[in-house]
Amino acid sequence: MDGASGIHAQWPPARPDQRSRELGQADMQLRQQAALRELAAMSAHHPVGPPAPLPQPDAQRFVPCDASPCDNAAITYQREAEYFDAALARHIINHRPEVTHQMRKVAWAAWNLVRKTDPARLTKFGEDNADHAGAVGCNLKVLEKVALSGNLRETVGFLLTGERNKAFKRLTKFSSRKLLEEHRADRQKVPVVPQRKLLSEVCPPLSEAESRGSLQSSPDSPSYVEWRRGEQFLTLRLTNQIHVNAEPTGGLVTTGLSGSAMVLLQIAQLAKDQGTEGIDLELVRLAALAVFVEHGHHTAHEVLLSAHMWAVDTGSAQKLPYDDTYRRYRSISPLTEKELRNVARNSQFPDELMNPPAVPPTIQRPAQQPFPGVYHSVQPTYASTHARR
């Protein structure tokens, strides 16, 4: 009986792994109890008090300080330059009709040139794209009317669309394209955020042809357009040489060099070479400035710099000089300094409103950071890529 009772008391026998777990748990409990006794003994000899205060950082590092006179001057210049850019674009559109007439002349010359050489390509001047400023569709009669009497935005869009769609495939060789790609390699695309512009804000006023493709409306707002602005979907790295060179002279930079300005000048030069009279590249430059600034594609600095680079690179008779200093807004030919002054806020140029004038109007660029082929002296100069090769 006793043996049988002993056998039954141990049945079923414990498995080896279960027995190991039981021993491990017992050992852990013993260790925890020992640790608690040790902690109690330490607390008896060293009573626990409030924690020691953490070392405080140097308070001076967190005291805000006033911007330096140089920084204040630069901020003032940027604000006034942004105002001047916008005001100048509107001035050209509204008060310089010869600029619109010039672009009609270039557009008509381009239209006739393609009609004589490859009429099947005439539709390449048009596009059905509601988010492109100046788009009027692909109807040949409408396109011909734009070439003859379109507004400034329409004629510029007409020419750029033609070049983009290769209407000039057998006619033009854009010699500055390699130069352009070299200097804007740091462009980055970002998601497009459509920006609504009310019909009353569109300048020049929307034409009938533009309205058919671009004008939109909704129950909760007046009529509007949603055109893409270059500054909304293209950015330029701050390390790009365009930014580096613009910093000491106050040049405004958004999307970098303007290939579109170069295209317009190239087409105008083509029309001139083909015998069209009265082509003035300075007026074409003003057209690019007005349209691209008004619609957020470029700044005046970017257009004027690109035009000068194109003129020197192609050996154009009109060099399109550009004073790339704080005094840039005083000399934009064919506009006079008096006319430009009237565009400025309170008839004062941005550099005159820098208070104090902490940064001189002309600055020597650092020799160790040259922008290949562009500036190496106080007075802007540009060395042709042909010369460099």
Side-chain angles (χ1 to χ4, degrees), residues 53-368:
L54 296 174
Q56 295 299 312
D58 184 2
Q60 293 298 322
R61 294 192 306 177
F62 298 93
V63 175
C65 59
D66 294 333
S68 69
C70 182
D71 288 337
N72 281 325
I75 292 169
T76 299
Y77 185 89
Q78 177 179 338
R79 181 183 66 244
E80 297 303 320
E82 289 172 350
Y83 173 89
F84 191 96
D85 273 19
L88 178 59
R90 290 289 178 108
H91 175 80
I92 294 169
I93 293 170
N94 294 325
H95 302 291
R96 279 289 189 160
E98 67 270 31
V99 175
T100 300
H101 295 322
Q102 177 72 193
M103 296 314 295
R104 289 172 182 168
K105 183 179 294 187
V106 175
W108 185 243
W111 178 263
N112 284 324
L113 195 58
V114 175
R115 180 166 57 185
K116 293 176 182 177
T117 57
D118 197 350
R121 290 183 174 273
L122 288 174
T123 56
K124 301 290 186 180
F125 286 106
E127 63 178 347
D128 292 302
N129 199 332
D131 62 1
H132 281 191
V136 297
C138 299
N139 183 280
L140 288 179
K141 289 185 177 180
V142 173
L143 292 172
E144 186 176 29
K145 184 177 179 181
V146 168
L148 276 170
S149 58
N151 64 40
L152 187 57
R153 180 179 51 249
E154 286 178 314
T155 53
V156 168
F158 172 96
L159 292 168
L160 293 178
T161 301
E163 195 278 338
R164 185 170 60 250
N165 292 338
K166 295 182 170 49
F168 305 102
K169 186 175 182 181
R170 301 183 181 90
L171 301 174
T172 59
K173 292 183 179 179
F174 189 10
S175 59
S176 295
R177 192 174 297 280
K178 178 175 174 58
L179 169 72
L180 174 67
E181 297 305 323
E182 288 175 359
H183 292 318
R184 66 177 192 184
D186 286 339
R187 266 188 176 180
Q188 296 175 300
K189 289 188 176 182
V190 296
V192 178
V193 180
Q195 182 170 345
R196 186 174 294 187
K197 177 177 281 192
L198 296 179
L199 180 61
S200 59
E201 300 172 341
V202 176
C203 182
L206 210 64
S207 72
E208 181 181 349
E210 289 176 305
S211 298
R212 285 194 293 268
S214 298
L215 193 59
Q216 304 181 50
S217 61
S218 63
D220 59 342
S221 72
S223 298
Y224 62 90
V225 296
E226 281 188 345
W227 288 330
R228 295 201 307 172
R229 300 169 64 88
E231 62 193 13
Q232 292 179 304
F233 62 92
L234 286 175
T235 61
L236 198 66
R237 291 189 179 93
L238 294 177
T239 54
N240 185 278
Q241 204 66 42
I242 295 287
H243 271 299
V244 173
N245 284 352
E247 184 176 358
T249 65
L252 300 181
V253 176
T254 56
T255 62
L257 293 177
S258 176
S260 298
M262 293 182 175
V263 165
L264 292 177
L265 292 165
Q266 187 78 18
I267 297 173
Q269 185 63 53
L270 172 66
K272 189 174 183 179
D273 294 342
Q274 294 291 328
T276 303
E277 297 181 356
I279 298 296
D280 187 342
L281 297 183
E282 289 185 341
L283 294 178
V284 176
R285 178 177 65 170
L286 287 185
L289 189 157
V291 172
F292 299 153
V293 170
E294 173 64 22
H295 297 292
H297 298 312
H298 289 286
T299 65
H301 166 68
E302 291 170 336
V303 172
L304 296 171
L305 175 61
S306 301
H308 176 63
M309 292 171 64
W310 173 89
V312 178
D313 186 61
T314 59
S316 171
Q318 287 184 275
K319 297 303 179 184
L320 305 176
Y322 173 44
D323 181 10
D324 188 13
T325 69
Y326 279 96
R327 298 169 62 89
R328 59 177 44 83
Y329 295 116
R330 298 168 183 261
S331 55
I332 305 175
S333 182
L335 306 179
T336 65
E337 183 172 339
K338 180 179 179 181
E339 182 178 3
L340 291 166
R341 182 175 292 280
N342 289 333
V343 171
R345 197 197 306 267
N346 299 323
S347 297
Q348 290 184 286
F349 288 111
D351 63 287
E352 295 175 327
L353 293 167
M354 298 168 72
N355 185 25
V359 185
T362 56
I363 290 182
Q364 178 71 49
R365 284 182 170 80
Q368 68 272 21

